[in-house]
Amino acid sequence: MTVNNPKLHFIFALALFFSSAASADQSPAIDLQNGEDINELCAGCHGLEGQGGKQGEYPRLAGMPAEFIARQLRLFRARERPNLAMLQYVDHRQMPDPDIADISAFLSRIKLPTKLPPADPEAPDFNAFERLRQAERLMQIPRAPGDVEAGKAIYAKECASCHGGEGWGDNEQAVPQLAGQYTNYLWRQIDKYIRGVRIHDPEDPEYRLLAEFSQEELRDVLAYLSTADD
Ligand code: HEC
Ligand code: HEC
């Protein structure tokens, strides 16, 4: 159909404008059950609770911003962030966009305790099985070597504006938490950013912030981060 009447043109344009505004507003519905199902694949390496494993060979995913997880999965899928271990799990057929949204939402909602609440094993309502379950989910990063006070000062000045006051990340800006992550894993990623294998700041891909610090300074920052969950 061709429309020659200018008035009708205007009405069509208006209708188009409102229908596209309405659909932009509806983010696709998240299916957490699908996320949980997909997680069974991930659990073999990252753990059923997304707690990671093998001292950081597999990173913690629990509680990370959903958009950060989703972006990393898209980068793996596009081969822009190398990850041999995960390649077979993230090709387009295995991991279309709606699945990425579901698994990312599922993992970002998992909260891992950093401490066990006080309990009295002599109390009549003490539940040893429940206690064991809690202990299994506990996530405590062992103290890493380095000068915690010096690291805290560097962190506050150079990292906190993006990674949050105490290292727990920023959900809205999709910046990952560094506190509560394995020290080994963080070292490996720092090395990748310095070598340009990963891009630290997508808005300024050439800028290598972490290359500006000495190994000693970075070690101190990681020492401080390892104490954030104490
Ligand atoms: C065969 C083991 C394996 C499986 C299965 C696996 N991963 Fe991974 N994953 C890894 C390894 C190894 C890394 C770390 C790569 C690196 O050092 O850069 C990683 C890294 C990640 C990261 C980056 C985290 C960060 O903080 O940068 C995300 C996100 C991730 N995996 C999500 C998933 C999801 C979701 C699944 C399930 C669909 C999954 N992985 C399945 C091995 C695995
Ligand atoms: C301008 C904001 C900004 C600043 C400042 C910043 N970061 Fe980041 N950082 C990010 C973003 C965004 C990511 C995720 C990038 C990606 O997709 O790989 C990230 C990721 C990381 C990661 C990888 C975490 C993971 O789970 O994969 C490490 C390690 C890291 N930053 C360390 C630091 C340290 C140490 C400092 C301070 C010296 C710092 N960052 C300062 C924004 C920032």
Side-chain angles (χ1 to χ4, degrees):
M1 173 177 69
T2 49
V3 182
N4 293 321
N5 182 330
K7 228 180 185 170
L8 270 183
H9 258 304
F10 178 71
I11 291 170
F12 270 109
L14 258 187
L16 257 179
F17 172 78
F18 279 111
S19 66
S20 65
S23 61
D25 224 32
Q26 287 160 4
S27 50
I30 294 293
D31 181 348
L32 286 176
Q33 184 56 52
N34 185 40
E36 188 171 351
D37 293 346
I38 296 171
N39 190 49
E40 308 225 330
L41 286 177
C42 320
C45 295
H46 293 281
L48 254 187
E49 311 272 0
Q51 72 274 37
K54 293 205 179 163
Q55 276 88 44
E57 181 175 334
Y58 307 121
R60 170 218 188 114
L61 304 174
M64 291 282 171
E67 182 43 37
F68 168 74
I69 298 176
R71 193 169 70 228
Q72 300 313 308
L73 291 172
R74 291 194 298 264
L75 289 171
F76 293 142
R77 198 175 63 180
R79 315 284 196 267
E80 284 171 29
R81 175 176 170 188
N83 185 336
L84 270 181
M86 281 184 56
L87 262 193
Q88 57 174 317
Y89 299 91
V90 291
D91 69 43
H92 269 281
R93 196 169 33 85
Q94 287 267 12
M95 192 64 85
D97 287 340
D99 279 358
I100 287 188
D102 294 346
I103 181 64
S104 302
F106 174 78
L107 289 165
S108 74
R109 281 171 166 76
I110 301 178
K111 302 246 178 308
L112 299 178
T114 55
K115 291 189 189 70
L116 282 181
D120 174 8
E122 307 295 326
D125 62 349
F126 180 75
N127 182 334
F129 179 71
E130 193 44 44
R131 190 76 181 161
L132 194 69
R133 283 266 313 149
Q134 283 175 343
E136 277 170 4
R137 302 182 62 241
L138 200 68
M139 179 95 186
Q140 253 289 341
I141 300 302
R143 170 79 161 75
D147 181 337
V148 171
E149 283 308 311
K152 184 176 179 177
I154 299 172
Y155 180 86
K157 188 159 170 273
E158 308 282 352
C159 323
S161 59
C162 297
H163 287 280
E166 290 176 336
W168 293 103
D170 182 334
N171 268 314
E172 262 163 46
Q173 302 298 320
V175 183
Q177 64 188 70
L178 303 176
Q181 183 60 278
Y182 300 92
T183 306
N184 276 345
Y185 182 71
L186 295 176
W187 266 129
R188 279 211 319 279
Q189 305 315 308
I190 288 175
D191 181 56
K192 286 179 187 174
Y193 287 130
I194 292 176
R195 287 188 291 124
V197 174
R198 276 185 78 180
I199 309 283
H200 196 178
D201 184 350
E203 306 204 335
D204 191 357
E206 294 302 318
Y207 177 51
R208 298 191 187 166
L209 169 73
L210 297 175
E212 292 175 9
F213 299 91
S214 68
Q215 289 286 305
E216 194 185 22
E217 288 170 319
L218 292 169
R219 189 198 59 188
D220 292 347
V221 170
L222 296 193
Y224 161 65
L225 287 167
S226 76
T227 64
D229 57 11
D230 291 352

PDB file of all heavy atoms in Angstrom, residues 125-161:
ATOM      1  N   ASP A 125      17.551 -26.924  69.102  1.00  0.00           N
ATOM      2  CA  ASP A 125      17.124 -26.783  67.697  1.00  0.00           C
ATOM      3  C   ASP A 125      18.318 -26.820  66.741  1.00  0.00           C
ATOM      4  O   ASP A 125      18.195 -26.505  65.565  1.00  0.00           O
ATOM      5  CB  ASP A 125      16.306 -25.499  67.519  1.00  0.00           C
ATOM      6  CG  ASP A 125      17.132 -24.268  67.850  1.00  0.00           C
ATOM      7  OD1 ASP A 125      18.251 -24.429  68.417  1.00  0.00           O
ATOM      8  OD2 ASP A 125      16.676 -23.155  67.548  1.00  0.00           O
ATOM      9  N   PHE A 126      19.506 -27.205  67.219  1.00  0.00           N
ATOM     10  CA  PHE A 126      20.680 -27.249  66.336  1.00  0.00           C
ATOM     11  C   PHE A 126      20.507 -28.344  65.285  1.00  0.00           C
ATOM     12  O   PHE A 126      20.177 -29.482  65.595  1.00  0.00           O
ATOM     13  CB  PHE A 126      21.948 -27.514  67.160  1.00  0.00           C
ATOM     14  CG  PHE A 126      23.188 -27.578  66.303  1.00  0.00           C
ATOM     15  CD1 PHE A 126      23.747 -26.418  65.792  1.00  0.00           C
ATOM     16  CD2 PHE A 126      23.785 -28.800  65.985  1.00  0.00           C
ATOM     17  CE1 PHE A 126      24.879 -26.466  64.992  1.00  0.00           C
ATOM     18  CE2 PHE A 126      24.921 -28.852  65.181  1.00  0.00           C
ATOM     19  CZ  PHE A 126      25.467 -27.684  64.688  1.00  0.00           C
ATOM     20  N   ASN A 127      20.712 -27.946  64.020  1.00  0.00           N
ATOM     21  CA  ASN A 127      20.501 -28.881  62.920  1.00  0.00           C
ATOM     22  C   ASN A 127      21.843 -29.104  62.215  1.00  0.00           C
ATOM     23  O   ASN A 127      22.297 -28.277  61.432  1.00  0.00           O
ATOM     24  CB  ASN A 127      19.452 -28.293  61.963  1.00  0.00           C
ATOM     25  CG  ASN A 127      19.142 -29.232  60.809  1.00  0.00           C
ATOM     26  OD1 ASN A 127      19.970 -30.050  60.421  1.00  0.00           O
ATOM     27  ND2 ASN A 127      17.943 -29.108  60.258  1.00  0.00           N
ATOM     28  N   ALA A 128      22.470 -30.235  62.528  1.00  0.00           N
ATOM     29  CA  ALA A 128      23.823 -30.491  62.032  1.00  0.00           C
ATOM     30  C   ALA A 128      23.852 -30.570  60.506  1.00  0.00           C
ATOM     31  O   ALA A 128      24.800 -30.101  59.867  1.00  0.00           O
ATOM     32  CB  ALA A 128      24.360 -31.789  62.629  1.00  0.00           C
ATOM     33  N   PHE A 129      22.791 -31.115  59.924  1.00  0.00           N
ATOM     34  CA  PHE A 129      22.756 -31.252  58.467  1.00  0.00           C
ATOM     35  C   PHE A 129      22.675 -29.879  57.802  1.00  0.00           C
ATOM     36  O   PHE A 129      23.433 -29.574  56.867  1.00  0.00           O
ATOM     37  CB  PHE A 129      21.542 -32.095  58.055  1.00  0.00           C
ATOM     38  CG  PHE A 129      21.441 -32.262  56.574  1.00  0.00           C
ATOM     39  CD1 PHE A 129      22.343 -33.055  55.879  1.00  0.00           C
ATOM     40  CD2 PHE A 129      20.440 -31.614  55.853  1.00  0.00           C
ATOM     41  CE1 PHE A 129      22.251 -33.193  54.503  1.00  0.00           C
ATOM     42  CE2 PHE A 129      20.346 -31.747  54.480  1.00  0.00           C
ATOM     43  CZ  PHE A 129      21.258 -32.536  53.809  1.00  0.00           C
ATOM     44  N   GLU A 130      21.795 -29.020  58.337  1.00  0.00           N
ATOM     45  CA  GLU A 130      21.636 -27.658  57.810  1.00  0.00           C
ATOM     46  C   GLU A 130      22.957 -26.891  57.934  1.00  0.00           C
ATOM     47  O   GLU A 130      23.374 -26.169  57.027  1.00  0.00           O
ATOM     48  CB  GLU A 130      20.512 -26.964  58.580  1.00  0.00           C
ATOM     49  CG  GLU A 130      19.999 -25.682  57.974  1.00  0.00           C
ATOM     50  CD  GLU A 130      19.776 -25.752  56.471  1.00  0.00           C
ATOM     51  OE1 GLU A 130      19.214 -26.757  55.965  1.00  0.00           O
ATOM     52  OE2 GLU A 130      20.197 -24.804  55.795  1.00  0.00           O
ATOM     53  N   ARG A 131      23.637 -27.091  59.070  1.00  0.00           N
ATOM     54  CA  ARG A 131      24.915 -26.438  59.337  1.00  0.00           C
ATOM     55  C   ARG A 131      25.956 -26.848  58.283  1.00  0.00           C
ATOM     56  O   ARG A 131      26.709 -26.042  57.750  1.00  0.00           O
ATOM     57  CB  ARG A 131      25.388 -26.868  60.734  1.00  0.00           C
ATOM     58  CG  ARG A 131      26.572 -26.128  61.280  1.00  0.00           C
ATOM     59  CD  ARG A 131      26.159 -24.770  61.756  1.00  0.00           C
ATOM     60  NE  ARG A 131      27.294 -24.013  62.285  1.00  0.00           N
ATOM     61  CZ  ARG A 131      27.273 -22.709  62.420  1.00  0.00           C
ATOM     62  NH1 ARG A 131      26.214 -22.006  62.076  1.00  0.00           N
ATOM     63  NH2 ARG A 131      28.324 -22.089  62.902  1.00  0.00           N
ATOM     64  N   LEU A 132      25.969 -28.120  57.966  1.00  0.00           N
ATOM     65  CA  LEU A 132      26.894 -28.642  56.971  1.00  0.00           C
ATOM     66  C   LEU A 132      26.609 -28.025  55.601  1.00  0.00           C
ATOM     67  O   LEU A 132      27.516 -27.633  54.870  1.00  0.00           O
ATOM     68  CB  LEU A 132      26.756 -30.165  56.908  1.00  0.00           C
ATOM     69  CG  LEU A 132      27.863 -30.891  56.170  1.00  0.00           C
ATOM     70  CD1 LEU A 132      29.166 -30.810  56.963  1.00  0.00           C
ATOM     71  CD2 LEU A 132      27.499 -32.362  55.953  1.00  0.00           C
ATOM     72  N   ARG A 133      25.330 -27.912  55.260  1.00  0.00           N
ATOM     73  CA  ARG A 133      24.918 -27.299  53.991  1.00  0.00           C
ATOM     74  C   ARG A 133      25.430 -25.864  53.907  1.00  0.00           C
ATOM     75  O   ARG A 133      25.978 -25.445  52.896  1.00  0.00           O
ATOM     76  CB  ARG A 133      23.382 -27.279  53.861  1.00  0.00           C
ATOM     77  CG  ARG A 133      22.764 -28.597  53.500  1.00  0.00           C
ATOM     78  CD  ARG A 133      22.560 -28.727  51.998  1.00  0.00           C
ATOM     79  NE  ARG A 133      21.937 -27.514  51.438  1.00  0.00           N
ATOM     80  CZ  ARG A 133      22.151 -27.073  50.215  1.00  0.00           C
ATOM     81  NH1 ARG A 133      22.958 -27.725  49.420  1.00  0.00           N
ATOM     82  NH2 ARG A 133      21.546 -25.988  49.777  1.00  0.00           N
ATOM     83  N   GLN A 134      25.240 -25.110  55.034  1.00  0.00           N
ATOM     84  CA  GLN A 134      25.706 -23.718  55.072  1.00  0.00           C
ATOM     85  C   GLN A 134      27.215 -23.662  54.881  1.00  0.00           C
ATOM     86  O   GLN A 134      27.730 -22.835  54.140  1.00  0.00           O
ATOM     87  CB  GLN A 134      25.354 -23.066  56.412  1.00  0.00           C
ATOM     88  CG  GLN A 134      23.908 -22.658  56.542  1.00  0.00           C
ATOM     89  CD  GLN A 134      23.595 -22.127  57.939  1.00  0.00           C
ATOM     90  OE1 GLN A 134      24.358 -22.340  58.888  1.00  0.00           O
ATOM     91  NE2 GLN A 134      22.475 -21.451  58.061  1.00  0.00           N
ATOM     92  N   ALA A 135      27.910 -24.577  55.567  1.00  0.00           N
ATOM     93  CA  ALA A 135      29.376 -24.569  55.508  1.00  0.00           C
ATOM     94  C   ALA A 135      29.856 -24.861  54.090  1.00  0.00           C
ATOM     95  O   ALA A 135      30.853 -24.317  53.630  1.00  0.00           O
ATOM     96  CB  ALA A 135      29.946 -25.581  56.498  1.00  0.00           C
ATOM     97  N   GLU A 136      29.116 -25.716  53.374  1.00  0.00           N
ATOM     98  CA  GLU A 136      29.517 -26.050  52.003  1.00  0.00           C
ATOM     99  C   GLU A 136      29.404 -24.855  51.071  1.00  0.00           C
ATOM    100  O   GLU A 136      30.125 -24.758  50.091  1.00  0.00           O
ATOM    101  CB  GLU A 136      28.631 -27.179  51.467  1.00  0.00           C
ATOM    102  CG  GLU A 136      29.089 -28.556  51.900  1.00  0.00           C
ATOM    103  CD  GLU A 136      28.059 -29.625  51.568  1.00  0.00           C
ATOM    104  OE1 GLU A 136      27.030 -29.302  50.928  1.00  0.00           O
ATOM    105  OE2 GLU A 136      28.285 -30.770  51.958  1.00  0.00           O
ATOM    106  N   ARG A 137      28.467 -23.955  51.373  1.00  0.00           N
ATOM    107  CA  ARG A 137      28.255 -22.800  50.495  1.00  0.00           C
ATOM    108  C   ARG A 137      29.147 -21.620  50.871  1.00  0.00           C
ATOM    109  O   ARG A 137      29.183 -20.614  50.160  1.00  0.00           O
ATOM    110  CB  ARG A 137      26.782 -22.382  50.523  1.00  0.00           C
ATOM    111  CG  ARG A 137      25.849 -23.502  50.106  1.00  0.00           C
ATOM    112  CD  ARG A 137      24.406 -23.055  50.101  1.00  0.00           C
ATOM    113  NE  ARG A 137      24.190 -21.983  49.145  1.00  0.00           N
ATOM    114  CZ  ARG A 137      23.766 -20.766  49.469  1.00  0.00           C
ATOM    115  NH1 ARG A 137      23.543 -20.457  50.713  1.00  0.00           N
ATOM    116  NH2 ARG A 137      23.591 -19.863  48.534  1.00  0.00           N
ATOM    117  N   LEU A 138      29.833 -21.750  51.995  1.00  0.00           N
ATOM    118  CA  LEU A 138      30.670 -20.661  52.489  1.00  0.00           C
ATOM    119  C   LEU A 138      31.774 -20.329  51.489  1.00  0.00           C
ATOM    120  O   LEU A 138      32.407 -21.228  50.943  1.00  0.00           O
ATOM    121  CB  LEU A 138      31.310 -21.129  53.801  1.00  0.00           C
ATOM    122  CG  LEU A 138      31.844 -20.055  54.729  1.00  0.00           C
ATOM    123  CD1 LEU A 138      30.689 -19.253  55.304  1.00  0.00           C
ATOM    124  CD2 LEU A 138      32.620 -20.724  55.865  1.00  0.00           C
ATOM    125  N   MET A 139      31.972 -19.036  51.235  1.00  0.00           N
ATOM    126  CA  MET A 139      33.025 -18.635  50.302  1.00  0.00           C
ATOM    127  C   MET A 139      33.932 -17.645  51.012  1.00  0.00           C
ATOM    128  O   MET A 139      33.544 -16.521  51.294  1.00  0.00           O
ATOM    129  CB  MET A 139      32.362 -18.001  49.079  1.00  0.00           C
ATOM    130  CG  MET A 139      33.327 -17.524  48.034  1.00  0.00           C
ATOM    131  SD  MET A 139      33.576 -18.761  46.751  1.00  0.00           S
ATOM    132  CE  MET A 139      34.865 -17.959  45.810  1.00  0.00           C
ATOM    133  N   GLN A 140      35.142 -18.077  51.321  1.00  0.00           N
ATOM    134  CA  GLN A 140      36.113 -17.242  52.028  1.00  0.00           C
ATOM    135  C   GLN A 140      37.421 -17.309  51.270  1.00  0.00           C
ATOM    136  O   GLN A 140      37.979 -18.379  51.086  1.00  0.00           O
ATOM    137  CB  GLN A 140      36.332 -17.792  53.441  1.00  0.00           C
ATOM    138  CG  GLN A 140      35.708 -16.983  54.559  1.00  0.00           C
ATOM    139  CD  GLN A 140      36.427 -15.660  54.800  1.00  0.00           C
ATOM    140  OE1 GLN A 140      37.567 -15.488  54.397  1.00  0.00           O
ATOM    141  NE2 GLN A 140      35.752 -14.728  55.447  1.00  0.00           N
ATOM    142  N   ILE A 141      37.881 -16.160  50.790  1.00  0.00           N
ATOM    143  CA  ILE A 141      39.147 -16.150  50.065  1.00  0.00           C
ATOM    144  C   ILE A 141      40.291 -16.155  51.083  1.00  0.00           C
ATOM    145  O   ILE A 141      40.324 -15.310  51.981  1.00  0.00           O
ATOM    146  CB  ILE A 141      39.233 -14.884  49.177  1.00  0.00           C
ATOM    147  CG1 ILE A 141      38.085 -14.863  48.154  1.00  0.00           C
ATOM    148  CG2 ILE A 141      40.588 -14.789  48.483  1.00  0.00           C
ATOM    149  CD1 ILE A 141      38.020 -16.064  47.236  1.00  0.00           C
ATOM    150  N   PRO A 142      41.238 -17.116  50.965  1.00  0.00           N
ATOM    151  CA  PRO A 142      42.362 -17.134  51.908  1.00  0.00           C
ATOM    152  C   PRO A 142      43.196 -15.854  51.761  1.00  0.00           C
ATOM    153  O   PRO A 142      43.305 -15.312  50.657  1.00  0.00           O
ATOM    154  CB  PRO A 142      43.178 -18.357  51.489  1.00  0.00           C
ATOM    155  CG  PRO A 142      42.331 -19.121  50.536  1.00  0.00           C
ATOM    156  CD  PRO A 142      41.302 -18.192  49.979  1.00  0.00           C
ATOM    157  N   ARG A 143      43.769 -15.410  52.850  1.00  0.00           N
ATOM    158  CA  ARG A 143      44.576 -14.194  52.866  1.00  0.00           C
ATOM    159  C   ARG A 143      45.742 -14.331  51.882  1.00  0.00           C
ATOM    160  O   ARG A 143      46.521 -15.274  51.967  1.00  0.00           O
ATOM    161  CB  ARG A 143      45.072 -14.030  54.307  1.00  0.00           C
ATOM    162  CG  ARG A 143      46.107 -12.998  54.534  1.00  0.00           C
ATOM    163  CD  ARG A 143      45.488 -11.603  54.582  1.00  0.00           C
ATOM    164  NE  ARG A 143      46.433 -10.707  55.242  1.00  0.00           N
ATOM    165  CZ  ARG A 143      47.525 -10.251  54.639  1.00  0.00           C
ATOM    166  NH1 ARG A 143      47.808 -10.563  53.399  1.00  0.00           N
ATOM    167  NH2 ARG A 143      48.340  -9.456  55.301  1.00  0.00           N
ATOM    168  N   ALA A 144      45.834 -13.373  50.939  1.00  0.00           N
ATOM    169  CA  ALA A 144      46.924 -13.404  49.956  1.00  0.00           C
ATOM    170  C   ALA A 144      48.098 -12.579  50.484  1.00  0.00           C
ATOM    171  O   ALA A 144      47.888 -11.632  51.240  1.00  0.00           O
ATOM    172  CB  ALA A 144      46.428 -12.837  48.628  1.00  0.00           C
ATOM    173  N   PRO A 145      49.336 -12.943  50.087  1.00  0.00           N
ATOM    174  CA  PRO A 145      50.504 -12.212  50.602  1.00  0.00           C
ATOM    175  C   PRO A 145      50.528 -10.767  50.109  1.00  0.00           C
ATOM    176  O   PRO A 145      50.033 -10.474  49.024  1.00  0.00           O
ATOM    177  CB  PRO A 145      51.695 -12.998  50.035  1.00  0.00           C
ATOM    178  CG  PRO A 145      51.154 -13.746  48.867  1.00  0.00           C
ATOM    179  CD  PRO A 145      49.711 -14.024  49.176  1.00  0.00           C
ATOM    180  N   GLY A 146      51.127  -9.876  50.915  1.00  0.00           N
ATOM    181  CA  GLY A 146      51.235  -8.471  50.508  1.00  0.00           C
ATOM    182  C   GLY A 146      50.843  -7.543  51.642  1.00  0.00           C
ATOM    183  O   GLY A 146      50.371  -7.985  52.685  1.00  0.00           O
ATOM    184  N   ASP A 147      51.033  -6.248  51.402  1.00  0.00           N
ATOM    185  CA  ASP A 147      50.774  -5.224  52.418  1.00  0.00           C
ATOM    186  C   ASP A 147      49.327  -4.738  52.263  1.00  0.00           C
ATOM    187  O   ASP A 147      49.010  -3.979  51.342  1.00  0.00           O
ATOM    188  CB  ASP A 147      51.785  -4.079  52.208  1.00  0.00           C
ATOM    189  CG  ASP A 147      51.627  -2.971  53.233  1.00  0.00           C
ATOM    190  OD1 ASP A 147      50.525  -2.831  53.813  1.00  0.00           O
ATOM    191  OD2 ASP A 147      52.608  -2.232  53.440  1.00  0.00           O
ATOM    192  N   VAL A 148      48.458  -5.185  53.177  1.00  0.00           N
ATOM    193  CA  VAL A 148      47.026  -4.899  53.065  1.00  0.00           C
ATOM    194  C   VAL A 148      46.743  -3.394  53.123  1.00  0.00           C
ATOM    195  O   VAL A 148      45.943  -2.876  52.327  1.00  0.00           O
ATOM    196  CB  VAL A 148      46.241  -5.631  54.184  1.00  0.00           C
ATOM    197  CG1 VAL A 148      44.794  -5.170  54.224  1.00  0.00           C
ATOM    198  CG2 VAL A 148      46.316  -7.136  53.973  1.00  0.00           C
ATOM    199  N   GLU A 149      47.415  -2.675  54.023  1.00  0.00           N
ATOM    200  CA  GLU A 149      47.148  -1.238  54.156  1.00  0.00           C
ATOM    201  C   GLU A 149      47.551  -0.483  52.886  1.00  0.00           C
ATOM    202  O   GLU A 149      46.818   0.376  52.398  1.00  0.00           O
ATOM    203  CB  GLU A 149      47.883  -0.662  55.375  1.00  0.00           C
ATOM    204  CG  GLU A 149      47.206  -0.988  56.701  1.00  0.00           C
ATOM    205  CD  GLU A 149      45.711  -0.630  56.716  1.00  0.00           C
ATOM    206  OE1 GLU A 149      45.384   0.511  56.328  1.00  0.00           O
ATOM    207  OE2 GLU A 149      44.887  -1.485  57.087  1.00  0.00           O
ATOM    208  N   ALA A 150      48.742  -0.824  52.365  1.00  0.00           N
ATOM    209  CA  ALA A 150      49.194  -0.163  51.134  1.00  0.00           C
ATOM    210  C   ALA A 150      48.222  -0.486  49.996  1.00  0.00           C
ATOM    211  O   ALA A 150      47.847   0.389  49.201  1.00  0.00           O
ATOM    212  CB  ALA A 150      50.606  -0.625  50.774  1.00  0.00           C
ATOM    213  N   GLY A 151      47.781  -1.753  49.931  1.00  0.00           N
ATOM    214  CA  GLY A 151      46.855  -2.174  48.875  1.00  0.00           C
ATOM    215  C   GLY A 151      45.521  -1.470  48.988  1.00  0.00           C
ATOM    216  O   GLY A 151      44.922  -1.087  47.970  1.00  0.00           O
ATOM    217  N   LYS A 152      45.077  -1.267  50.219  1.00  0.00           N
ATOM    218  CA  LYS A 152      43.799  -0.598  50.443  1.00  0.00           C
ATOM    219  C   LYS A 152      43.835   0.833  49.895  1.00  0.00           C
ATOM    220  O   LYS A 152      42.879   1.302  49.263  1.00  0.00           O
ATOM    221  CB  LYS A 152      43.512  -0.590  51.952  1.00  0.00           C
ATOM    222  CG  LYS A 152      42.186  -0.017  52.324  1.00  0.00           C
ATOM    223  CD  LYS A 152      41.961  -0.135  53.832  1.00  0.00           C
ATOM    224  CE  LYS A 152      40.616   0.489  54.186  1.00  0.00           C
ATOM    225  NZ  LYS A 152      40.302   0.349  55.601  1.00  0.00           N
ATOM    226  N   ALA A 153      44.986   1.522  50.128  1.00  0.00           N
ATOM    227  CA  ALA A 153      45.125   2.902  49.665  1.00  0.00           C
ATOM    228  C   ALA A 153      45.126   2.959  48.134  1.00  0.00           C
ATOM    229  O   ALA A 153      44.445   3.805  47.527  1.00  0.00           O
ATOM    230  CB  ALA A 153      46.404   3.518  50.228  1.00  0.00           C
ATOM    231  N   ILE A 154      45.857   2.048  47.495  1.00  0.00           N
ATOM    232  CA  ILE A 154      45.884   2.032  46.018  1.00  0.00           C
ATOM    233  C   ILE A 154      44.486   1.714  45.491  1.00  0.00           C
ATOM    234  O   ILE A 154      43.993   2.368  44.573  1.00  0.00           O
ATOM    235  CB  ILE A 154      46.893   0.983  45.486  1.00  0.00           C
ATOM    236  CG1 ILE A 154      48.303   1.318  45.967  1.00  0.00           C
ATOM    237  CG2 ILE A 154      46.851   0.914  43.956  1.00  0.00           C
ATOM    238  CD1 ILE A 154      49.327   0.224  45.653  1.00  0.00           C
ATOM    239  N   TYR A 155      43.860   0.711  46.104  1.00  0.00           N
ATOM    240  CA  TYR A 155      42.520   0.319  45.651  1.00  0.00           C
ATOM    241  C   TYR A 155      41.556   1.505  45.711  1.00  0.00           C
ATOM    242  O   TYR A 155      40.834   1.783  44.752  1.00  0.00           O
ATOM    243  CB  TYR A 155      41.969  -0.860  46.479  1.00  0.00           C
ATOM    244  CG  TYR A 155      40.602  -1.241  45.984  1.00  0.00           C
ATOM    245  CD1 TYR A 155      40.457  -2.140  44.926  1.00  0.00           C
ATOM    246  CD2 TYR A 155      39.456  -0.638  46.499  1.00  0.00           C
ATOM    247  CE1 TYR A 155      39.207  -2.429  44.405  1.00  0.00           C
ATOM    248  CE2 TYR A 155      38.203  -0.912  45.983  1.00  0.00           C
ATOM    249  CZ  TYR A 155      38.085  -1.811  44.945  1.00  0.00           C
ATOM    250  OH  TYR A 155      36.849  -2.077  44.411  1.00  0.00           O
ATOM    251  N   ALA A 156      41.570   2.217  46.872  1.00  0.00           N
ATOM    252  CA  ALA A 156      40.619   3.324  47.064  1.00  0.00           C
ATOM    253  C   ALA A 156      40.821   4.399  45.999  1.00  0.00           C
ATOM    254  O   ALA A 156      39.865   4.970  45.479  1.00  0.00           O
ATOM    255  CB  ALA A 156      40.781   3.916  48.466  1.00  0.00           C
ATOM    256  N   LYS A 157      42.077   4.651  45.652  1.00  0.00           N
ATOM    257  CA  LYS A 157      42.376   5.728  44.723  1.00  0.00           C
ATOM    258  C   LYS A 157      42.142   5.303  43.265  1.00  0.00           C
ATOM    259  O   LYS A 157      41.660   6.088  42.455  1.00  0.00           O
ATOM    260  CB  LYS A 157      43.844   6.131  44.926  1.00  0.00           C
ATOM    261  CG  LYS A 157      44.286   7.352  44.186  1.00  0.00           C
ATOM    262  CD  LYS A 157      45.540   7.948  44.844  1.00  0.00           C
ATOM    263  CE  LYS A 157      46.135   9.026  43.960  1.00  0.00           C
ATOM    264  NZ  LYS A 157      47.072   8.474  42.973  1.00  0.00           N
ATOM    265  N   GLU A 158      42.496   4.066  42.924  1.00  0.00           N
ATOM    266  CA  GLU A 158      42.576   3.682  41.513  1.00  0.00           C
ATOM    267  C   GLU A 158      41.481   2.728  41.025  1.00  0.00           C
ATOM    268  O   GLU A 158      41.295   2.578  39.819  1.00  0.00           O
ATOM    269  CB  GLU A 158      43.931   2.992  41.235  1.00  0.00           C
ATOM    270  CG  GLU A 158      45.137   3.778  41.700  1.00  0.00           C
ATOM    271  CD  GLU A 158      45.481   4.922  40.751  1.00  0.00           C
ATOM    272  OE1 GLU A 158      44.859   4.991  39.668  1.00  0.00           O
ATOM    273  OE2 GLU A 158      46.359   5.734  41.098  1.00  0.00           O
ATOM    274  N   CYS A 159      40.825   2.014  41.913  1.00  0.00           N
ATOM    275  CA  CYS A 159      39.915   0.953  41.483  1.00  0.00           C
ATOM    276  C   CYS A 159      38.483   1.154  41.995  1.00  0.00           C
ATOM    277  O   CYS A 159      37.527   0.736  41.347  1.00  0.00           O
ATOM    278  CB  CYS A 159      40.394  -0.426  41.942  1.00  0.00           C
ATOM    279  SG  CYS A 159      42.189  -0.683  41.912  1.00  0.00           S
ATOM    280  N   ALA A 160      38.353   1.785  43.181  1.00  0.00           N
ATOM    281  CA  ALA A 160      37.053   1.820  43.861  1.00  0.00           C
ATOM    282  C   ALA A 160      35.979   2.528  43.047  1.00  0.00           C
ATOM    283  O   ALA A 160      34.801   2.164  43.124  1.00  0.00           O
ATOM    284  CB  ALA A 160      37.201   2.484  45.228  1.00  0.00           C
ATOM    285  N   SER A 161      36.369   3.530  42.244  1.00  0.00           N
ATOM    286  CA  SER A 161      35.352   4.297  41.518  1.00  0.00           C
ATOM    287  C   SER A 161      34.546   3.385  40.599  1.00  0.00           C
ATOM    288  O   SER A 161      33.378   3.651  40.341  1.00  0.00           O
ATOM    289  CB  SER A 161      36.002   5.417  40.710  1.00  0.00           C
ATOM    290  OG  SER A 161      36.921   4.867  39.788  1.00  0.00           O
TER     291      SER A 161
END
